[in-house]
Amino acid sequence: MALLDIRNLSVSFETPQGLVKAATQVSLALEYNETLALVGETGCGKSVVVNAIMKLLPANAKVDGRVIYRGRDLLSLDEKEMARIRGQDIAIIFQNPSLALNPVYKISEQVSESMILKKRSSRSRAEEISSQLLQRLGLKGRESSYPFQLSGGMNQRAMIACSVVLGPKIIIADEPTKGLDQSMVGQVLGEIRKAKEVNGASLLLITHDMEVARQISDKVAVMYCGEVMEVGKTEEVLQAPSHPYTQALLDSLPERGFLPIPGPSPSMIDPPEGCRFHPRCPWRRDLCSIERPVQKSTTTGWVRCCR
Amino acid sequence: MLWGKTARYAIAFFLIISLNFAIPRAMPGDTLTNLMGEDVHLSEDAMLELKAKVGVDQPIHIQFLNYWRDLFHLDLGYSYHLHAPVSSLIRERIKWTMLLVAPSIIMGAFVGTLLGALAGWRRKEAKSRLQTTGFLLIYCTPPYFLSMLALYFLGFELGWFPLKGFYQSGTIGDIAHHLFLPVLIMTLFSASRNYMIMRGSVIQERQMLYASYARAKGLSSDQILFRHIFKNAALPIITLVALDFGFIFSGALFIEIVFSMHGMGNLIYDSLLCRDYPVLQGTFAVITIMVILANLLADWTYGLVDPRVRWQR
């Protein structure tokens, strides 16, 4: 039994332009101590999936399916029960640390806050632990700084401290390396990996960067237009991809020839019939525009393609 | 930067007070008349004597220095209309106005900010919508009209409250009884403004990423509002409330007139009607000082609450 089991998760948003189908029947499993990378281009629904798991979506979101964590369906919990899960069992690291931290509190206050409020620790004990954690993350002497006094990378580490201070079992990182320069990427990934190992947690990493996924993950899930197209062990998916979209994504990397994927990104309001990738697929057949492909097993996972 | 700001306020103070000196001397007509007020009639001899006493026969720079010296001695001139030194007139009135305005501003700030924050946080609930409508209604009604309604129904028809003045017998209970209605109306009025601003501010701040992140950290709805959003959203209120204190002596004019209370507002109003220039100038100087102090106070508190402001200077 997986630690987190996402089954047929669908999310749509009611908007004036129409119903946006941000995620369609997403099924994923996160095992104990595993790192799963959820990859795909910007706007394919990756963030929506994790925000649905955390129940952080806005009120106009319609969520279907099940998210089983330790035998409980998170989607059926009320806000109070969910608040207990957040931070203690499942923690999330946002992609924009400088805006996610509260501008008017010191970072040490923001880290110790969870301990005081959720674990009923004394203020001095909470401050001791948060200062140790911040030091371990390389923010020694910066505990009393405010977010606006720190660089983006430092804020990123401060937020990692905020998120993992309660020792969560699942750490979700939503594009933690977006907007960082190359030297920072390795450092931040190292911190996240460390936080995961210290807590014995599982990591669900969202990224559009295949290189990041290769560095850190055990398993990769590729999303396109709200659907998971392929899941498998990282080496297999990145070396011998089964889905033409994964192949196209890899070919678009600078070191693999910089080949753009032909055609425009699909509409999420009116997604393509049949296989959602068929309008841009070099292998498309007549069947592809009619029938939604079923999941087919691969060596280490599955793929949603008829080829 | 706080020193820079203080210096700027000092310059503003100097300029405004200098203007206060210059206006009666630059006005067309006799300087003495401009300083005394227009309804003061004196004989030729008395006029000359007074001229020497007030010092308007001296060169202008000496007059200017004397003017500042008098100001630092809290000598704001003499009202020939009311036959009393201006400074003692103001002192007598100020304490009553303080009693009326200070509690109203403080209670209005607390009530408005707290209810406004809750209304912004739960703005879709029917209860908070009703409340918002109520406060909007108060906010839109001129305070003097509200005062007249309260005076008519609660004071005149029901006889629950006295109709005028600050006191009759002078006991604490008596004063409180007299102050109840005007303080209530001023509190409601200031609360309604703070309510509207705080509500809008919370609605804006709740969209911020730090509010979502607080939720992601597992905080409850009340904790997100009061620990994370409140401090950020209350920043505009600080400026407003501090400025309220600046206008503490002139802001209650309508209330004082409707309730026939002899406070600063009425003093200014009466001296305006009688062209009692010394009193007008004196009150003008006092209001200048208060507004500048209030601005300093706003800057100082703002820095205390918002670290970004504190570290910039």
Side-chain angles (χ1 to χ4, degrees):
Chain A
M1 178 80 192
L3 178 58
L4 187 75
D5 198 357
I6 304 165
R7 292 184 200 159
N8 288 326
L9 179 71
S10 297
V11 181
S12 52
F13 295 94
E14 199 73 68
T15 69
Q17 286 76 39
L19 195 67
V20 177
K21 299 164 192 79
T24 308
Q25 297 191 340
V26 169
S27 293
L28 286 171
L30 183 66
E31 304 293 337
Y32 287 88
N33 291 314
E34 180 185 61
T35 297
L36 169 64
L38 189 55
V39 300
E41 59 196 43
T42 305
C44 71
K46 306 179 302 261
S47 289
V48 166
V49 169
V50 296
N51 281 301
I53 297 170
M54 294 291 277
K55 294 182 67 139
L56 291 173
L57 292 171
N60 67 340
K62 197 175 156 300
V63 184
D64 276 321
R66 296 169 78 185
V67 177
I68 314 287
Y69 170 74
R70 290 189 165 167
R72 287 209 286 177
D73 182 5
L74 298 181
L75 299 182
S76 68
L77 299 184
D78 63 25
E79 177 63 23
K80 228 174 170 173
E81 291 170 310
M82 197 58 213
R84 264 199 294 275
I85 302 261
R86 293 190 196 117
Q88 299 222 56
D89 292 274
I90 308 177
I92 187 165
I93 298 165
F94 279 179
Q95 59 171 283
N96 204 332
S98 301
L99 293 176
L101 294 168
N102 193 324
V104 299
Y105 291 106
K106 294 174 186 160
I107 56 168
S108 61
E109 288 173 327
Q110 302 195 42
V111 177
S112 56
E113 177 183 45
S114 312
M115 299 206 62
I116 295 167
L117 293 178
K118 303 204 69 185
K119 285 251 166 108
R120 303 264 158 235
S121 307
S122 69
R123 184 169 291 274
S124 56
R125 176 99 185 103
E127 263 163 25
E128 196 187 308
I129 289 181
S130 65
S131 132
Q132 277 170 9
L133 184 57
L134 285 169
Q135 283 181 21
R136 216 171 50 228
L137 286 164
L139 290 168
K140 189 173 168 55
R142 293 304 203 138
E143 296 92 334
S144 307
S145 300
Y146 292 91
F148 74 94
Q149 297 173 302
L150 301 176
S151 68
M154 285 163 135
N155 279 333
Q156 182 67 267
R157 280 177 278 160
M159 185 161 64
I160 293 173
C162 283
S163 291
V164 303
V165 68
L166 295 178
K169 288 290 149 224
I170 297 173
I171 300 171
I172 299 173
D174 187 358
E175 300 267 16
T177 55
K178 198 176 192 174
L180 295 180
D181 57 53
Q182 212 48 48
S183 61
M184 284 303 305
V185 168
Q187 212 180 335
V188 166
L189 286 182
E191 307 295 0
I192 292 175
R193 190 184 342 222
K194 227 188 308 179
K196 167 191 178 278
E197 277 157 17
V198 167
N199 291 308
S202 303
L203 176 63
L204 174 54
L205 178 85
I206 302 218
T207 183
H208 65 280
D209 187 337
M210 299 297 258
E211 183 53 30
V212 167
R214 194 186 61 73
Q215 276 179 36
I216 197 170
S217 66
D218 307 312
K219 229 164 63 182
V220 169
V222 183
M223 255 185 108
Y224 179 79
C225 192
E227 275 188 345
V228 177
M229 293 304 191
E230 176 172 10
V231 180
K233 287 252 190 269
T234 306
E235 314 86 73
E236 191 202 353
V237 174
L238 298 190
Q239 293 305 323
S242 307
H243 199 283
Y245 174 63
T246 318
Q247 183 65 55
L249 209 55
L250 289 167
D251 288 343
S252 71
L253 291 176
E255 61 272 23
R256 298 266 198 107
F258 235 152
L259 290 170
I261 304 173
S265 290
S267 153
M268 301 287 265
I269 292 175
D270 199 12
E273 296 281 321
C275 173
R276 290 200 175 170
F277 188 60
H278 84 262
R280 303 169 81 181
C281 183
W283 310 101
R284 104 182 129 249
R285 291 175 295 169
D286 293 344
L287 185 69
C288 296
S289 56
I290 303 161
E291 205 169 281
R292 185 181 184 226
V294 291
Q295 292 181 16
K296 278 196 308 194
S297 289
T298 57
T299 324
T300 60
W302 55 262
V303 66
R304 194 183 285 284
C305 181
C306 301
R307 190 160 65 99
Chain B
M1 278 304 281
L2 192 59
W3 288 115
K5 266 189 188 143
T6 312
R8 234 179 308 157
Y9 286 132
I11 293 168
F13 174 72
F14 177 79
L15 288 178
I16 296 169
I17 296 294
S18 300
L19 209 62
N20 208 13
F21 166 84
I23 286 171
R25 285 165 179 83
M27 274 194 328
D30 182 35
T31 306
L32 190 65
T33 314
N34 289 342
L35 281 171
M36 297 294 103
E38 275 177 24
D39 61 347
V40 180
H41 299 287
L42 295 165
S43 68
E44 198 73 15
D45 285 347
M47 202 72 143
L48 283 173
E49 196 187 324
L50 207 58
K51 242 179 189 166
K53 195 178 154 212
V54 177
V56 282
D57 50 354
Q58 294 190 15
I60 195 91
H61 63 277
I62 303 287
Q63 286 185 41
F64 188 60
L65 290 176
N66 287 341
Y67 171 81
W68 277 98
R69 187 199 59 208
D70 291 346
L71 195 68
F72 282 114
H73 288 102
L74 299 178
D75 179 359
L76 297 172
Y78 188 85
S79 165
Y80 288 86
H81 187 76
L82 295 167
H83 300 289
V86 174
S87 54
S88 74
L89 279 171
I90 291 178
R91 257 205 303 276
E92 172 58 28
R93 298 293 188 97
I94 250 178
K95 53 185 187 205
W96 290 106
T97 297
M98 282 280 252
L99 217 53
L100 167 66
V101 181
S104 313
I105 292 178
I106 294 168
M107 287 193 292
F110 274 108
V111 172
T113 317
L114 194 69
L115 293 181
L118 287 169
W121 191 236
R122 304 173 184 157
R123 74 182 158 133
K124 297 241 166 84
E125 285 176 23
K127 205 179 79 185
S128 91
R129 282 183 183 191
L130 197 70
Q131 200 182 43
T132 304
T133 313
F135 272 111
L136 192 61
L137 218 62
I138 296 171
Y139 190 46
C140 297
T141 316
Y144 69 85
F145 184 64
L146 217 58
S147 307
M148 285 162 82
L149 285 180
L151 201 57
Y152 181 73
F153 287 107
L154 301 177
F156 185 72
E157 290 289 335
L158 295 168
W160 290 353
F161 297 99
L163 295 177
K164 55 176 284 200
F166 278 112
Y167 58 88
Q168 217 153 20
S169 65
T171 62
I172 292 177
D174 177 52
I175 293 171
H177 195 201
H178 277 79
L179 279 174
F180 186 85
L181 273 189
V183 167
L184 178 75
I185 285 157
M186 278 199 73
T187 303
L188 276 179
F189 195 68
S190 122
S192 67
R193 184 206 59 188
N194 293 336
Y195 179 93
M196 288 303 160
I197 289 170
M198 191 65 185
R199 180 175 172 273
S201 192
V202 166
I203 287 173
Q204 204 177 4
E205 290 291 324
R206 62 180 294 166
Q207 319 272 349
M208 297 291 174
L209 193 62
Y210 73 79
S212 312
Y213 185 57
R215 198 145 89 93
K217 278 165 85 177
L219 270 58
S220 72
S221 173
D222 285 346
Q223 286 166 342
I224 300 168
L225 174 62
F226 287 109
R227 296 183 64 96
H228 282 272
I229 291 180
F230 194 87
K231 205 169 162 185
N232 284 287
L235 292 173
I237 301 276
I238 293 171
T239 317
L240 282 175
V241 172
L243 290 181
D244 279 345
F245 273 101
F247 290 100
I248 196 166
F249 302 133
S250 51
L253 178 64
F254 290 116
I255 305 259
E256 285 188 3
I257 291 173
V258 174
F259 287 93
S260 318
M261 303 172 113
H262 292 288
M264 284 289 285
N266 252 332
L267 180 68
I268 297 171
Y269 180 64
D270 289 341
S271 52
L272 203 62
L273 291 183
C274 312
R275 306 193 185 185
D276 189 351
Y277 295 135
V279 172
L280 280 179
Q281 277 199 56
T283 48
F284 185 52
V286 171
I287 290 171
T288 304
I289 295 169
M290 283 304 292
V291 170
I292 285 175
L293 285 180
N295 272 291
L296 260 175
L297 181 76
D299 280 342
W300 180 71
T301 347
Y302 215 98
L304 208 66
V305 177
D306 191 340
R308 286 165 296 187
V309 177
R310 183 159 70 239
W311 290 91
Q312 261 164 29
R313 54 187 190 216

